[in-house]
Amino acid sequence: MQKTKIEWALVLALHFCFAPFSLFGEPNSLILLDAEKNKEWGEFLPKREIDQNLLQSMLDEISVRRIDLDPKWLRLVHYESKGKDNYQSKIVNSRFFLSSEGRTNPKSELEATIRSFFVEEPIPEGLMHPVCSFPTRHQFIKQKFGVDFLKRSGIRCDRYEVWKASIHADSVSIVFASYYLMAPASVFGHTMLKFNQKSNEENGSEILDYAVNVSADTPNLDPIRYAYHGLFGGFKAKYSLFPYYLKVNEYNDLESRDLWEYRLSLNKDELELLVSHLWELSRAEFDYYFLNANCGTFLVEWLDVVKPELNLKSKLGGVVSPVDTIKLYIRTEGLVVETKYRPSLYSEISFLVGQMKPEEKKAFYHLLDTSKNESFDLHILENQDKGIRHSLILDAFLLASRYQSFQSPKPNEIQKSNEQKTLEFRSRFPSPTEPWNERVIPSPPELAHPKSRIVTGGGSSNLGPFLEWKYRFAYHDLLNVSQGSPPNGELVFFDGSVRQYEGKKTELTSFTLVRLVSLSPYNPISKHWSYLFDFGMQTTLFKSKQNQWWESLNGKTETEWERKQVANLDLAAGWTFADEFSKTKDRLGKISFLLGFKSQFHPRWEQGGRFGPNVQTLYQKEWGNWKLLGGFFIQHYWNQTIKNQIGSTVTLRYLWSQESEFRVEMKREPNYQEVSGSFHYLF
């Protein structure tokens, strides 16, 4: 029985309240039935002779005109060329296809689509006629063959029409959520698409717009398995639709991520096509990879269906991060017509506190410290110097209190009561008109440095001089310029180093499979942990076996060392401290204290490896084109004769341009010291 438009509107409203992360929220049983019916309808043969004749003429026309190889059809089904006359769709689940061969056979899928549009049998409850399930395909067939199945068969697509009307898109924006290093799924940043309604924009309620997310279904996995599946496969991605305010709340407030909105130049027909194809993509699943099949690339492919003349996907490299797609949109002439910055809750707090004078900061921190107590007293502000800006202090405190309530696992009734008192007290002061209310815009993501890197350099060590070459696949280390990149983090994949010491063979010195570092400052407002995860291969020193025998025979004490490559795993956690809330940020730099565990494996060691706790200290300071990074560690190995080791490193970086750096490094480890210089080119 067909639902009325009012009934479908109610269904959609309830759906968005209770199941915001799926387009339809169908139960699995309905999805299975839909996939089964698709294949049945894809082989449909009409009963009426007039329909049979029309079907046959359309099938013949496909063969004659090779409509199945039309670029528009190939894009609609997301086919990729796999060689001469070979294609494969990037969509991996069968529900998207009407032919059993549809994923690899564009002609078979087009023929099955046309057959399904002739279906006249009753549609099971909860399912839709194929014409309604695939409106973009219907539009393509209507243009190519001149057949309108909606008018011809009197098919009504009420569910689709109500859904499309609820979106009511007047324009669209690509939204970039900045990097969030506290969750593995968010360390790359994230992109999504937002449907803009003009009426919401005019009345200041843009958060009521709808947005589209493409994300992987990632079960709770340990970091190693999470990284493995993300790099080599195992995750499936889906399109989902939700009210934008949900993501504003999640990203801006809960995760303290800034949002950048890039409005795109699309005409009415392109908007219509974008929306109708999203309806089809709700059925699709894709293989998800961190490095080249992620939220950013899927949105680019979706836009390629709408604006094929731009051919955006072909302009991306083999490795693509979400920020790379933002750079692509910016570089494409006339595509981005407006940019809007939506600061996170934490960014707003940081900005306001940074504008305070010392006595204002003192009052602000006093309120923050006492807000959890029943003796909370706002009248302390009345006794302050008349030059104090009460509205600035109270606005910053209310934001900070709201931020801390988001971070707290349990609501505090005392804090809620004190927030209400503050709101009432705040009403006694006028809204701010001072310059502090002018927003300072941070560096946008499109200014981030390129992600890959090659390095050439050399140096001197107690084992002799050496030449060195490095290559990093992606993305960012602590010494790279922080403009447009995570300022307190490091994310490295496939970073290798090759050396040649004088008179010795070339060696693979180190190889980092994954390195993830987050050094978010710990302060009275945000009490984030810092952490470090490093998995790969390093080089360490072993006593030469031949030299050990010669020493025991001759009673000598001189030792000759051999460099050997060992598997390495580092885990550490702690705190980072910084002068974060000042007008001149980072004037004192950042210092981190981490307690961790290190394990290395090689058959030359007893028990095949060594392991134990360590303490690390990191210091970083950036000014202009220069940045200093220093580190000190104390390592204890439980199962070795020499249990304690101490080492340090200091590196100075000079930034020549966004693509080139020069670094000087001094390193001291047990039985090994070196000084080196290197030139880094990023691309």
Side-chain angles (χ1 to χ4, degrees), residues 170 195-210:
D170 294 302
F195 292 115
N196 304 312
Q197 293 187 18
K198 190 174 181 181
S199 58
N200 287 339
E201 185 176 7
E202 289 173 346
N203 61 29
S205 56
E206 293 174 83
I207 61 173
L208 297 179
D209 292 335
Y210 287 115

Side-chain angles (χ1 to χ4, degrees), residues 52 344 396 449:
Q52 293 175 3
S344 69
H449 62 78

Side-chain angles (χ1 to χ4, degrees), residues 455-509:
V455 178
T456 181
S460 177
S461 74
N462 61 315
L463 298 182
F466 61 87
L467 296 176
E468 184 173 46
W469 302 270
K470 296 181 180 180
Y471 172 75
R472 183 183 74 203
F473 197 54
Y475 278 94
H476 173 80
D477 64 40
L478 287 173
L479 279 164
N480 287 137
V481 63
S482 58
Q483 186 181 47
S485 299
N488 303 309
E490 182 167 299
L491 177 62
V492 173
F493 286 105
F494 304 121
D495 187 9
S497 172
V498 173
R499 282 188 180 184
Q500 183 172 23
Y501 285 83
E502 187 176 34
K504 296 183 179 179
K505 293 182 180 180
T506 302
E507 65 176 40
L508 177 63
T509 304

Side-chain angles (χ1 to χ4, degrees), residues 145-201:
F145 299 93
V147 180
D148 188 336
F149 285 91
L150 289 173
K151 290 183 178 179
R152 189 176 185 277
S153 304
I155 299 169
R156 292 174 59 85
C157 299
D158 292 338
R159 182 177 175 184
Y160 167 64
E161 293 297 336
V162 170
W163 174 85
K164 185 171 65 173
S166 69
I167 292 177
H168 187 59
D170 294 302
S171 64
V172 297
S173 296
I174 296 292
V175 181
F176 179 82
S178 61
Y179 314 90
Y180 181 60
L181 298 177
M182 301 307 294
S186 306
V187 294
F188 301 93
H190 184 65
T191 54
M192 52 190 169
L193 185 139
K194 174 173 171 283
F195 292 115
N196 304 312
Q197 293 187 18
K198 190 174 181 181
S199 58
N200 287 339
E201 185 176 7

Side-chain angles (χ1 to χ4, degrees), residues 635-683:
Q635 177 73 53
H636 178 80
Y637 291 116
W638 286 320
N639 62 337
Q640 297 297 306
T641 303
I642 303 176
K643 296 184 179 297
N644 298 317
Q645 297 187 355
I646 299 175
S648 61
T649 179
V650 177
T651 308
L652 184 65
R653 179 266 286 160
Y654 177 75
L655 183 72
W656 277 342
S657 69
Q658 193 77 344
E659 294 81 27
S660 57
E661 305 172 354
F662 182 74
R663 300 183 184 182
V664 177
E665 182 177 16
M666 293 179 287
K667 182 186 295 184
R668 183 178 182 86
E669 297 177 353
N671 306 306
Y672 183 78
Q673 304 85 41
E674 72 172 46
V675 177
S676 63
S678 56
F679 173 75
H680 298 237
Y681 177 72
L682 294 92
F683 62 97

Side-chain angles (χ1 to χ4, degrees), residues 33-98:
L33 178 62
D34 191 25
E36 180 182 320
K37 279 294 185 181
N38 272 352
K39 299 302 178 290
E40 179 184 322
W41 292 333
E43 299 175 355
F44 183 78
L45 182 63
K47 295 179 180 179
R48 295 187 302 175
E49 184 177 355
I50 187 173
D51 291 340
Q52 293 175 3
N53 292 336
L54 177 59
L55 171 61
Q56 190 58 51
S57 69
M58 295 175 74
L59 298 181
D60 291 340
E61 195 171 352
I62 291 174
S63 299
V64 172
R65 296 170 54 194
R66 292 312 307 265
I67 299 175
D68 56 299
L69 298 182
D70 186 296
K72 188 172 182 179
W73 173 250
L74 296 177
R75 284 192 176 93
L76 283 179
V77 194
H78 295 260
Y79 287 113
E80 286 186 315
S81 176
K82 296 295 182 180
K84 186 178 180 181
D85 298 329
N86 289 318
Y87 294 90
Q88 181 172 292
S89 175
K90 296 193 71 175
I91 297 169
V92 297
N93 63 316
S94 62
R95 190 186 178 206
F96 187 77
F97 303 100
L98 291 149

Side-chain angles (χ1 to χ4, degrees), residues 306-345:
V306 175
K307 294 183 79 71
E309 70 278 6
L310 297 180
N311 206 11
L312 294 172
K313 183 65 185 299
S314 67
K315 299 174 184 177
L316 294 172
V319 181
V320 183
S321 68
V323 75
D324 289 329
T325 64
I326 298 299
K327 292 180 179 181
L328 175 62
Y329 300 137
I330 295 293
R331 289 198 307 264
T332 303
E333 186 177 357
L335 182 58
V336 176
V337 295
E338 182 186 3
T339 302
K340 181 181 293 185
Y341 169 64
R342 185 183 292 273
S344 69
L345 184 57

